[in-house]
Amino acid sequence: MYFHLVNLNEESMKHSKTIELEFNRDNLITLLEQGAGIRDQIFSHKQIADWCEVFWLQYSDVDAIDSIEKLMPVLADVETQWDLYLASTFTLEDLHTLDFERVALLQEWFKDWLGQLYT
């Protein structure tokens, strides 16, 4: 099941800085390593999830090269798990005032996603 958060007021929609990295496997690995705590974290988990979503959307309706196609399940899962985590962890009232930049997914999830890229 996929949850999408809607009807959040403008004030609660804190816009994070967009990650300005090229969409490729190496940058995905770097971001997942940050999320897993393997590298110093420069970007929030929200920024990482947003970057994965935009990457996925860029290739979701086209026949991408094989190396990109292999990344698609991980990209989709990162973004989906972000949405599911928010929906299952916080009340709607909390989501109206929550600073999404401070929300952290489990580091173990990022390690699992990294493992999927190396198999």
Side-chain angles (χ1 to χ4, degrees), residues 43-110:
F43 300 107
S44 70
H45 288 184
K46 178 193 184 311
Q47 289 173 294
I48 295 169
D50 289 347
W51 185 87
C52 287
E53 179 180 26
V54 174
F55 188 167
W56 184 86
L57 286 170
Q58 182 172 334
Y59 292 98
S60 64
D61 290 332
V62 298
D63 289 330
I65 59 174
D66 192 48
S67 61
I68 297 293
E69 285 294 332
K70 291 178 181 177
L71 305 177
M72 296 297 279
V74 171
L75 294 167
D77 200 35
V78 172
E79 195 282 325
T80 300
Q81 291 307 317
W82 171 259
D83 287 344
L84 289 173
Y85 183 76
L86 292 176
S88 65
T89 305
F90 302 100
T91 66
L92 185 57
E93 191 172 287
D94 291 336
L95 292 171
H96 283 281
T97 58
L98 186 65
D99 180 358
F100 295 111
E101 297 303 317
R102 298 181 61 133
V103 175
L105 300 174
L106 297 174
Q107 288 185 339
E108 195 61 39
W109 294 355
F110 287 92

Side-chain angles (χ1 to χ4, degrees), residues 2-35:
Y2 180 81
F3 295 96
H4 185 72
L5 305 175
V6 294
N7 296 328
L8 296 179
N9 63 44
E10 183 86 18
E11 186 176 312
S12 69
M13 295 292 289
K14 295 177 175 46
H15 297 285
S16 58
K17 184 177 178 185
T18 302
I19 297 175
E20 299 290 336
L21 293 175
E22 184 179 339
F23 295 130
N24 60 46
R25 184 179 189 275
D26 289 340
N27 287 334
L28 176 58
I29 289 170
T30 297
L31 293 173
L32 294 178
E33 287 175 345
Q34 286 183 26

